[in-house]
């Protein structure tokens, strides 16, 4: 009978070691995840800031380009207006402007 009890005790001990190892493994992973979370948040924040800065740079470049194009259109509109006036002063009637140009001349937009 002592043989069976010894064997059963050894089995329970092995099972206990396996369960303890598994619980230790799970606990270690959970602790690592908890410790890694602030570092991951900091890394995410740095990545978001970099993306935001890149997008802001692109937006600023687009604003400068838009302002340049707006100045070009206004300058060109003035130039065409002067040419139109010169044509009329020489007795020539210029062709009618496209609808979009006419709208720009009326509204400035």
């Amino acid at each position: 009978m002592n043989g069976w009890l010894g064997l059963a005790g050894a089995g329970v001990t092995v099972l206990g070691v396996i369960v303890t190892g598994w619980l230790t493994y799970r606990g270690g992973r959970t602790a690592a995840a908890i410790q890694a979370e602030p570092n991951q948040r900091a890394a995410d924040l740095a990545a978001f800031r970099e993306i935001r800065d890149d997008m802001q740079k692109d937006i600023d470049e687009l604003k400068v380009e838009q302002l340049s194009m707006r100045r070009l259109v206004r300058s060109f509109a003035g130039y065409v207006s002067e040419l139109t006036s010169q044509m009329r002063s020489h007795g020539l009637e210029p062709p009618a402007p496209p609808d979009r140009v006419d709208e720009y001349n009326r509204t400035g937009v």
Side-chain angles (χ1 to χ4, degrees), residues 31-46:
I34 290 170
Q35 288 176 350
E37 187 173 337
N39 294 336
Q40 183 62 44
R41 286 180 184 236
D44 290 345
L45 181 60

Side-chain angles (χ1 to χ4, degrees), residues 21-99:
W22 180 73
L23 290 174
T24 302
Y25 170 75
R26 271 190 60 207
R29 286 184 50 135
T30 302
I34 290 170
Q35 288 176 350
E37 187 173 337
N39 294 336
Q40 183 62 44
R41 286 180 184 236
D44 290 345
L45 181 60
F48 289 140
R49 283 185 177 156
E50 184 177 337
I51 291 168
R52 182 199 61 199
D53 292 345
D54 287 346
M55 290 180 71
Q56 188 61 50
K57 181 182 170 199
D58 290 345
I59 290 169
D60 292 342
E61 289 174 359
L62 287 172
K63 285 180 180 179
V64 168
E65 185 178 343
Q66 180 187 16
L67 183 61
S68 174
M69 292 300 291
R70 188 176 291 159
R71 288 177 180 160
L72 176 65
V73 167
R74 287 181 180 155
S75 177
F76 190 71
Y79 177 71
V80 169
S81 177
E82 187 163 328
L83 288 177
T84 301
S85 295
Q86 285 181 8
M87 287 179 71
R88 287 190 175 129
S89 70
H90 286 86
L92 298 171
E93 187 59 34
D99 292 338

